[in-house]
Amino acid sequence: MVLADLGRRINAAVNSLTSQSVVDQTALDAMLKEICTALLESDVNVRLVGQLRNSIRAKVASALNKEEKESGSNANAIKRLVQKTVFDELCELVEAHPTDEQFKPKKGRSNVIMFVGLQGAGKTTSCTKLAVYYQRRGLRVGLVCADTFRAGAFDQLKQNATKAKIPYYGSYTEPDPVKVSRDGVEKFKKEKFDLIIVDTSGRHRQEQELFAEMVQIGEAVKPDQTLMVLDASIGQAAEQQSKAFKEASNFGAIVLTKMDGHAKGGGAISAVAATNTPIAFIGTGEHVHDFETFSPKQFVSKLLG
Ligand code: GDP
């Protein structure tokens, strides 16, 4: 089920409860069942759905008990409570609670951001999007193409960067991605760039070779932030994939791409929980400006229309 349908179904379930004259446990359970089914069909992890159900039930149950004891007490207040609780719990579902403060590039020093992710996830596209995002905020940004694995990767980055007027670095002849990334970062550091974004190579599958390369590039460029690019449409696989990348690269935030398509999104929500890592940005199209910062509250508001 795509995200828009998920939102509609959750709304319909809440509305069907709140339009009843009597809100009781049976009506609450029917609403919860419909919300949970919708979430599961959107690939949200079953454990998380269970947590959400228990949490909503617990929060609304005490109000319902009170209502039963004092019959005729304020049904509207209960309806409002149901709406607020569903909203809050959905926010909780997409929110991470990292212990570290979230990274923001600071002017006056060379910040390094490294991208990781599987091939096709949208890394190269998102690198340029992020570069443009910060360039518009007054930072001098350089792009480094350390993807020496995929033929045409450097050309793609070069083309995107040229179009967006972002300086770039890469090599057609050097096969070692560690060397290319080190050289590129050094060059931009020397030139006092504020932000250096390193695009690394992906593979079709998670493999040891990819993870080993990621670790080596990380050691060479010492990123201030590592971003994992995750395709929103990959469903349940997102959880396991993000866990494996977290172990290898300890990324600090997620860029969730292809949120414009028929993304179920639920898998990505589970990835947040599995790695306790926030989504920093979402990609909403192929164009360089189709890129937004992610806020759980805004996301849930939009989801519920
Ligand atoms: P990489 O292999 O991870 O570097 O992936 P690319 O950046 O080459 O992207 C793979 C494909 O996904 C390209 O066709 C991109 O245009 C497309 N793409 C990337 N981000 C988005 C997005 O947010 N929305 C849509 N619709 N397409 C995207």
Side-chain angles (χ1 to χ4, degrees):
M1 187 178 7
V2 300
L3 275 175
D5 292 334
L6 171 66
R8 266 194 290 278
R9 265 178 78 175
I10 294 177
N11 260 338
V14 174
N15 289 340
S16 119
L17 175 92
T18 53
S19 61
Q20 291 176 24
S21 52
V22 185
V23 176
D24 56 12
Q25 193 65 47
T26 316
L28 176 68
D29 284 344
M31 178 197 78
L32 283 173
K33 190 164 179 233
E34 173 60 10
I35 291 178
C36 292
T37 308
L39 286 167
L40 289 170
E41 284 176 15
S42 297
D43 278 339
V44 180
N45 174 294
V46 64
R47 184 175 33 81
L48 296 176
V49 174
Q51 281 169 11
L52 174 129
R53 184 184 49 232
N54 292 341
S55 189
I56 296 178
R57 192 180 270 145
K59 283 181 183 158
V60 179
S62 63
L64 278 177
N65 266 338
K66 206 165 154 229
E67 158 94 355
E68 263 172 27
K69 279 189 202 128
E70 309 161 16
S71 58
S73 73
N74 196 347
N76 281 335
I78 291 186
K79 290 172 185 178
R80 277 198 303 276
L81 175 72
V82 169
Q83 277 161 339
K84 183 178 179 314
T85 310
V86 170
F87 184 86
D88 289 348
E89 289 302 315
L90 287 170
C91 287
E92 187 61 27
L93 199 63
V94 290
E95 200 158 18
H97 301 282
T99 42
D100 303 341
E101 204 179 310
Q102 279 305 289
F103 168 79
K104 279 208 179 74
K106 289 169 202 75
K107 263 187 122 162
R109 64 179 287 252
S110 291
N111 306 267
V112 177
I113 297 182
M114 171 173 155
F115 273 67
V116 297
L118 287 189
Q119 192 162 313
K123 263 190 319 300
T124 306
T125 311
S126 302
C127 280
T128 317
K129 286 178 174 180
L130 188 72
V132 170
Y133 176 89
Y134 280 119
Q135 193 183 49
R136 288 176 123 195
R137 281 156 183 79
L139 270 65
R140 270 182 83 210
V141 190
L143 278 165
V144 176
C145 176
D147 184 353
T148 53
F149 182 79
R150 179 164 64 96
F154 181 35
D155 275 332
Q156 186 192 346
L157 182 125
K158 202 166 142 180
Q159 223 174 41
N160 290 349
T162 308
K163 225 160 137 187
K165 299 193 171 62
I166 310 270
Y168 58 86
Y169 179 89
S171 169
Y172 285 113
T173 49
E174 175 54 60
D176 179 7
V178 180
K179 178 160 176 25
V180 177
S181 52
R182 185 185 292 119
D183 290 351
V185 168
E186 264 173 22
K187 170 187 146 54
F188 286 128
K189 272 191 173 170
K190 253 189 220 138
E191 294 170 15
K192 304 253 179 288
F193 274 63
D194 300 308
L195 176 61
I196 305 159
I197 297 174
V198 182
D199 186 14
T200 62
S201 71
R203 299 286 192 278
H204 290 301
R205 294 179 294 109
Q206 296 155 197
E207 2 181 299
Q208 266 334 100
E209 197 191 330
L210 168 64
F211 289 148
E213 181 180 305
M214 241 162 46
V215 171
Q216 284 170 12
I217 295 178
E219 281 166 1
V221 305
K222 301 203 173 31
D224 300 285
Q225 169 76 309
T226 301
L227 292 175
M228 188 212 176
V229 179
L230 193 64
D231 181 336
S233 63
I234 65 167
Q236 295 284 0
E239 185 175 357
Q240 198 265 336
Q241 191 183 107
S242 58
K243 263 188 180 164
F245 270 89
K246 183 80 180 179
E247 267 169 36
S249 73
N250 194 23
F251 57 85
I254 297 170
V255 177
L256 194 58
T257 60
K258 310 186 194 181
M259 287 294 278
D260 50 308
H262 294 288
K264 287 188 181 180
I269 291 170
S270 309
V272 172
T275 59
N276 192 25
T277 307
I279 300 169
F281 295 95
I282 55 172
T284 54
E286 296 192 59
H287 189 266
V288 74
H289 295 304
D290 297 331
F291 195 63
E292 299 170 13
T293 52
F294 180 83
S295 132
K297 278 206 174 77
Q298 258 177 28
F299 176 79
V300 174
S301 300
K302 220 162 139 184
L303 179 74
L304 299 181

